[in-house]
Amino acid sequence: MSRPISVEELVAQGLEAKKPKFISKAKRDRLKATKQKPAPFKVVKPEIIGPLNETSEPRKLLPVKAPRQEKNKGLFSWDDSEDTSGSYQPLVLAKLRDDDDDLLSSESHWSTKPLERMKARDWRLLKHEFDINYKGEDLGNPLRAWNEEQALPKRLINLLQDLKYYEPTPIQRAAIPIALRHRDVVGIAETGSGKTLAYLLPILTYLMNIEEEYMTLEHCQDANLNKTLALILAPTRELALQITKEAEKFCKSLGYNVVTIIGGHQYEETIHSLRNGVHIVVATPGRLIDSLERGLISLEKCYHLTMDEADKMIDMGFEKPLSQILLFMPDTKKLNSSIDSRILRVSKRSTLMFTATISSAIEKITKNYLTTPGYVFVGGANSLVDNIDQKFEYLDNSPPDKQLFDAERFNELLRVLHSEIRGNQFSVIIFANFKRVVEQLAEELSGKGFGEVATIHGSKSQEAREKAIQTFREKLASILIATDVAARGIDIPHVSMVVNYQMSNKFEEYIHRVGRTGRAGHKGKSYTFIDEGDKETFPELRKFLWNGGLKIPEWLSRTLNSGKKL
């Protein structure tokens, strides 16, 4: 404990303080500038009344009303000369963090910021805006614009603009950056969300990065003409043809060959299509295995695999064929132990899987054949399509045999179709569960003055199915009637409405059916006839509508709550 200061020391300090001190001109100027700073508060001085000489009466001070103190200001006023805050210099100047600076400043939208100015908060807003969610480590950020992805070749970016793909869709924003870094991807998004381009661009980038000497000198040799470099699997012929059509838009300009291997085509057609070599094969699993066993096609150099609509392939019983196909493909170990890694400029096989729903079978395939995949969820599995107005009509009578003609249901269909004709467009797909019903409806509607009606079902040849789709696409027929064989793979932008004449047996198929309308940014409508015989789909339908924020129909709530027939 220090000793108290004595009286003598206090007096000495006082005398020392009264001694005049020399102050330089520079310091005097600084002090003068400090005193000229405005005081934080107005100094209130009393008003003096009367003379100031010694003979006058004592001075009278008139009371002065103190000024109103502002909020958070001090309670007292003081003389400027006594204010020591002006010359205060902090020991440390703390810089605001960038995040704090963004919060304090007027925040601009992420789309107006340069890429290098994007902060974590901006990326979170972007993901929220497009309903993008990730599962996995080190997946990076979504794609804002085509020209900001350095891994995309400049030629490919220009081609996107020429083909009028001006902005990426949410699934493309989320999946493409991951796939371009040779990471396995599982993409879950609703039908019609642009998944095809989400895997075509990584495939094309992969081909464009392959050693040029190999592509121009070796791959075109006779021994390599049937060796594809990338494989795309689809569950149905229609979807395979749709993928091929989309791929050819790019491949014709880039000089790559796309070969389709599907049922309904002669093997001679496959051989003929391979005469100029192959870079991308689009195939259905069953016909591809036949072609592999016959030696028509080879996967010896194929290190890029895409499975589109994987959930549908599992539902159709293709799980075992998928495993067989993967046995024909080289794995990452072979890639790195051969010259292929140098030629193809990759260090692992890439596997991409796209699906609208997640099931235990999909998870099994993912676990067995994908390496630490990144999961991308856009809108969630089984999500409601916002741009489709979905309506339901509950029919009291459930026919004992749904393959027989139902006059009441048909009359309701006529009412719905006539209401649609009044609009500007009339382009409708009608779904039924049985090919017999498809043909009945086509005959009845043609007799009611609806002109040519196109039909698709499993008993039709591939040539007839392709002709029906082309007739509907070119608007030579305003109505296409189909079974679920057409629920996936038909991408026709002008479909104004989908009618479920019979509710699908599996609710997942309902999602894909209504996804045939409301495509390419257009609005769409769906109309579904439903009855007691469809009660197995009721729980999922209610959940589907609830998640989409739509009103649950009264008949649906009552049926599920009572567990009885209406």
Side-chain angles (χ1 to χ4, degrees):
M1 185 172 177
S2 59
R3 178 179 61 82
I5 301 177
S6 65
V7 175
E8 291 78 10
E9 289 175 333
L10 286 174
V11 173
Q13 290 179 7
L15 293 175
E16 183 68 24
K18 291 182 179 180
K19 290 182 180 179
K21 295 182 179 179
F22 174 79
I23 300 178
S24 65
K25 185 177 184 301
K27 190 171 182 179
R28 290 197 304 272
D29 292 338
R30 287 199 299 269
L31 289 173
K32 184 178 180 182
T34 300
K35 289 184 178 180
Q36 288 176 352
K37 290 185 177 181
F41 305 104
K42 183 178 179 180
V43 179
V44 180
K45 296 183 179 180
E47 184 178 354
I48 302 175
I49 303 298
L52 298 180
N53 53 48
E54 294 179 358
T55 61
S56 65
E57 296 180 1
R59 291 174 294 179
K60 297 180 181 179
L61 302 181
L62 293 180
V64 179
K65 188 178 293 186
R68 182 176 58 87
Q69 296 291 337
E70 296 182 13
K71 188 176 181 180
N72 296 330
K73 293 290 187 179
L75 297 178
F76 303 99
S77 299
W78 54 81
D79 191 281
D80 288 350
S81 61
E82 297 175 355
D83 182 11
T84 59
S85 63
S87 59
Y88 169 73
Q89 295 293 331
L91 295 176
V92 179
L93 291 175
K95 186 181 183 299
L96 288 173
R97 292 181 298 122
D98 291 337
D99 289 346
D100 296 335
D101 186 51
D102 284 344
L103 292 172
L104 293 174
S105 63
S106 56
E107 187 66 36
S108 57
H109 192 262
W110 59 265
S111 60
T112 63
K113 289 186 174 183
L115 185 61
E116 61 274 10
R117 289 286 298 164
M118 289 285 287
K119 303 298 187 298
R121 179 176 178 272
D122 297 314
W123 291 116
R124 287 195 301 271
L125 291 174
L126 188 155
K127 293 174 189 176
H128 177 75
E129 184 171 329
F130 292 107
D131 203 2
I132 296 173
N133 293 283
Y134 291 128
K135 178 183 175 184
E137 297 181 356
D138 302 325
L139 299 182
N141 293 313
L143 180 64
R144 299 200 316 168
W146 299 123
N147 58 3
E148 291 183 351
E149 178 51 69
Q150 296 181 356
L152 280 176
K154 183 66 176 178
R155 186 180 177 188
L156 194 54
I157 294 175
N158 293 335
L159 193 53
L160 284 165
Q161 299 298 318
D162 294 341
L163 295 173
K164 299 182 180 180
Y165 293 102
Y166 299 120
E167 279 194 14
T169 66
I171 186 62
Q172 293 161 9
R173 293 177 188 275
I176 288 175
I178 303 173
L180 288 177
R181 286 149 185 80
H182 306 291
R183 178 83 175 266
D184 289 356
V185 176
V186 179
I188 302 98
E190 62 193 20
T191 183
S193 58
K195 289 180 286 186
T196 305
L197 200 61
Y199 57 75
L200 277 180
L201 291 183
I203 290 174
L204 296 172
T205 301
Y206 163 70
L207 296 177
M208 296 174 76
N209 288 332
I210 293 176
E211 190 177 84
E212 186 176 356
E213 289 77 8
Y214 172 79
M215 297 292 277
T216 56
L217 301 176
E218 294 186 44
H219 192 68
C220 56
Q221 297 295 320
D222 291 342
N224 296 326
L225 289 181
N226 70 333
K227 294 180 181 178
T228 185
L229 299 173
L231 172 64
I232 302 172
L233 293 175
T236 65
R237 304 172 190 177
E238 284 72 27
L239 179 56
L241 291 172
Q242 180 62 43
I243 295 169
T244 300
K245 182 180 178 181
E246 193 73 13
E248 285 178 342
K249 293 179 183 178
F250 295 87
C251 291
K252 285 181 180 178
S253 298
L254 299 173
Y256 300 134
N257 297 324
V258 185
V259 173
T260 309
I261 301 179
I262 58 176
H265 289 182
Q266 299 296 322
Y267 288 107
E268 288 77 10
E269 294 181 50
T270 302
I271 295 172
H272 180 71
S273 61
L274 292 169
R275 70 188 186 279
N276 295 323
V278 59
H279 299 92
I280 302 174
V281 164
V282 184
T284 52
R287 179 51 70 96
L288 178 61
I289 290 178
D290 289 344
S291 300
L292 289 169
E293 292 175 345
R294 292 169 182 260
L296 301 181
I297 197 75
S298 171
L299 301 180
E300 182 183 331
K301 294 285 186 183
C302 183
Y303 291 96
H304 206 296
L305 170 65
T306 299
M307 292 176 276
D308 195 5
E309 302 288 11
D311 53 334
K312 180 66 173 177
M313 283 193 276
I314 299 301
D315 290 342
M316 295 176 67
F318 287 138
E319 185 174 357
K320 185 176 179 180
L322 283 176
S323 301
Q324 290 179 268
I325 292 170
L326 287 164
L327 293 177
F328 283 93
M329 296 185 66
D331 55 17
T332 300
K333 183 177 179 182
K334 180 182 178 181
L335 172 66
N336 291 319
S337 62
S338 65
I339 198 174
D340 290 348
S341 60
R342 181 182 64 81
I343 294 174
L344 304 177
R345 294 174 177 169
V346 290
S347 58
K348 66 177 288 293
R349 185 176 75 190
S350 293
T351 305
L352 312 180
M353 180 187 294
F354 288 84
T355 176
T357 58
I358 284 289
S359 64
S360 57
I362 293 293
E363 292 176 349
K364 180 181 176 182
I365 292 178
T366 302
K367 182 178 180 181
N368 292 342
Y369 302 116
L370 276 68
T371 305
T372 59
Y375 288 81
V376 174
F377 300 85
V378 175
N382 295 350
S383 63
L384 192 69
V385 184
D386 293 332
N387 56 339
I388 301 176
D389 180 17
Q390 300 172 70
K391 296 181 179 179
F392 302 87
E393 181 168 345
Y394 188 88
L395 302 177
D396 294 329
N397 297 325
S398 178
D401 186 353
K402 291 198 172 187
Q403 295 194 53
L404 297 179
F405 181 74
D406 186 339
E408 178 187 354
R409 191 177 296 242
F410 182 73
N411 288 332
E412 288 299 318
L413 174 64
L414 291 177
R415 180 183 61 80
V416 172
L417 293 179
H418 283 299
S419 66
E420 181 67 9
I421 290 176
R422 297 192 188 100
N424 296 326
Q425 289 185 335
F426 180 67
S427 186
V428 179
I429 298 179
I430 302 173
F431 283 102
N433 295 340
F434 305 96
K435 56 187 178 183
R436 180 179 176 181
V437 176
V438 169
E439 294 297 339
Q440 287 174 350
L441 289 176
E443 183 178 352
E444 292 289 338
L445 290 174
S446 295
K448 295 292 183 181
F450 285 94
E452 184 176 356
V453 177
T455 60
I456 298 178
H457 52 71
S459 294
K460 283 187 171 287
S461 67
Q462 183 61 33
E463 182 180 359
R465 288 157 70 170
E466 292 177 21
K467 182 179 179 181
I469 293 176
Q470 191 63 25
T471 301
F472 184 64
R473 187 187 302 277
E474 294 176 357
K475 300 185 179 181
L476 300 176
S478 298
I479 298 176
L480 172 67
I481 310 176
T483 57
D484 280 332
V485 72
R488 310 192 190 206
I490 297 181
D491 186 9
I492 301 176
H494 61 73
V495 176
S496 58
M497 182 169 67
V498 166
V499 177
N500 291 303
Y501 185 76
Q502 295 173 318
M503 179 63 172
S504 53
N505 296 323
K506 290 187 176 181
F507 185 74
E508 291 82 359
E509 291 306 317
Y510 167 81
I511 299 173
H512 291 286
R513 285 181 178 186
V514 299
R516 297 309 100 197
T517 185
R519 302 176 76 87
H522 296 90
K523 295 289 184 180
K525 292 182 287 186
S526 72
Y527 211 102
T528 302
F529 298 131
I530 201 164
D531 57 51
E532 179 65 23
D534 305 312
K535 61 183 178 182
E536 290 186 1
T537 64
F538 286 5
E540 290 181 272
L541 176 59
R542 181 170 66 174
K543 180 181 178 182
F544 178 72
L545 296 175
W546 177 269
N547 290 339
L550 294 185
K551 182 180 179 180
I552 308 298
E554 184 181 353
W555 57 264
L556 181 58
S557 297
R558 284 193 293 160
T559 306
L560 289 173
N561 292 337
S562 65
K564 301 177 182 179
K565 293 184 179 181
L566 290 177

